[in-house]
Amino acid sequence: MSVVSTGELVATAAATGTGVAAFNVITLEHAEAIVAGAEAAGRPVILQISENAVKFHHGRVGPIAAATLAVAKDAAVPCALHLDHVESVELLTQAPLHSFSSVMFDASALSYADNVAATRSAAEFGHAHGLWVESELGKVGGKNGEAPLSAHAPGARTSPSDAVDYVAQTGVDGLAVAVGSSHAMTSRDAALDHDLIAALRDAVDVPLVLHGSSGVGDDELRRAVAGGLIKVNIGTALNIAFTGAVRPILDGDAKLVDPRKYLKPARAAMAETVAHFLALLG
């Protein structure tokens, strides 16, 4: 099965009323698990590498991108490669050089005006190089001197009117919105604002993206996708599965030194998690 573009997978999901999942790749085992889980579910998938993951790999995107691409090329289901939460313009410019078909440019820590300017520039670069460009909008700051609030901060909500202005000014292809989820949640009890999801869906003409989906329960995710969320990002849930498989093995054998003995079950646990989430979104 050939590697496809993120834009193609998102467009197909939007047209069929389903969701498409994007799972975070940190190690080769993550990439292998994501593809194995997608094959088990018979569903397409997006493999995404974040700027933080690139930093973990000594700031070199090339090796982990090449490994992920190689795994994707051998997959029996359509796979896309996405570069996630990019704050560095230098890293942004490397995306088309390493087979990424999309990038999420993150200028959310800037003031609204600076966010718009930086994101517009990123979108122009991305479109000139064939990239589908995602960005995010949390709570716009500036009122009473308050700073902008990340889309993943507890309590952050994206205003539909702000979203309309932001999409029009930046030209992004997808918008990550703040509707009640947050990054790095280890419990799945986030309560999403479904009325807001519907309002945002009706307000903007680009696909909506949910970040921090690991903290959202199954029923909430199903309802969110039915309500208009298209791209669903999942990262922490894989790390929970990975660590949950490794810890008892190491605790049970202090003399174990072969990493294959614990990486294999860790990879299998992540694949099961991937298959579970993909079944929800279909």
Side-chain angles (χ1 to χ4, degrees):
M1 182 67 67
S2 61
V3 175
V4 300
S5 72
T6 296
E8 179 181 338
L9 294 186
V10 171
T12 299
T16 56
T18 59
V20 60
F23 293 94
N24 285 22
V25 173
I26 300 176
T27 68
L28 174 60
E29 286 74 25
H30 282 74
E32 292 174 330
I34 292 165
V35 167
E39 290 175 334
R43 295 278 296 160
V45 73
I46 299 169
L47 296 97
Q48 60 185 23
I49 300 170
S50 71
E51 182 166 317
N52 279 339
V54 174
K55 290 176 180 176
F56 170 74
H57 291 287
H58 307 291
R60 304 186 187 105
V61 65
I64 187 62
T68 301
L69 177 63
V71 173
K73 283 182 174 179
D74 281 344
V77 294
C79 298
L81 267 63
H82 175 75
L83 191 57
D84 199 41
H85 276 288
V86 174
E87 298 180 9
S88 162
V89 174
E90 180 183 359
L91 181 57
L92 169 69
T93 62
Q94 294 183 58
L97 304 177
H98 295 287
S99 299
F100 292 99
S101 65
S102 60
V103 62
M104 185 273 178
F105 186 75
D106 186 356
S108 61
L110 304 178
S111 69
Y112 183 66
D114 289 342
N115 182 341
V116 166
T119 303
R120 183 192 301 121
S121 178
E124 290 171 352
F125 171 85
H127 295 157
H129 291 81
L131 300 175
W132 186 89
V133 180
E134 172 190 336
S135 189
E136 73 175 19
L137 185 65
K139 179 181 177 183
V140 174
K143 298 177 182 179
N144 300 318
E146 65 182 0
L149 191 60
S150 165
H152 318 294
R157 296 291 184 272
T158 302
S159 159
S161 60
D162 289 338
V164 170
D165 180 74
Y166 184 79
V167 169
Q169 289 201 59
T170 60
V172 294
D173 303 298
L175 183 67
V177 291
V179 293
S181 60
S182 59
H183 279 154
M185 287 187 66
T186 56
S187 60
R188 301 189 64 201
D189 54 4
L192 301 182
D193 188 333
H194 295 281
D195 290 338
L196 179 56
I197 292 171
L200 289 164
R201 175 201 62 204
D202 294 340
V204 299
D205 58 0
V206 298
L208 300 180
V209 182
L210 183 67
H211 288 207
S213 305
S214 294
V216 182
D218 290 356
D219 290 341
E220 284 282 279
L221 273 183
R222 288 193 193 96
R223 186 178 173 190
V225 170
L229 284 167
I230 306 299
K231 179 173 176 279
V232 177
N233 287 14
I234 300 160
T236 300
L238 298 191
N239 297 335
I240 291 172
F242 184 110
T243 306
V246 169
R247 182 172 285 120
I249 295 173
L250 294 181
D251 286 346
D253 186 354
K255 295 182 178 181
L256 178 62
V257 295
D258 185 347
R260 291 170 293 186
K261 299 294 185 181
Y262 52 85
L263 289 179
K264 184 176 180 179
R267 185 175 57 194
M270 288 193 290
E272 290 179 7
T273 300
V274 168
H276 173 78
F277 276 101
L278 288 175
L280 291 178
L281 305 184

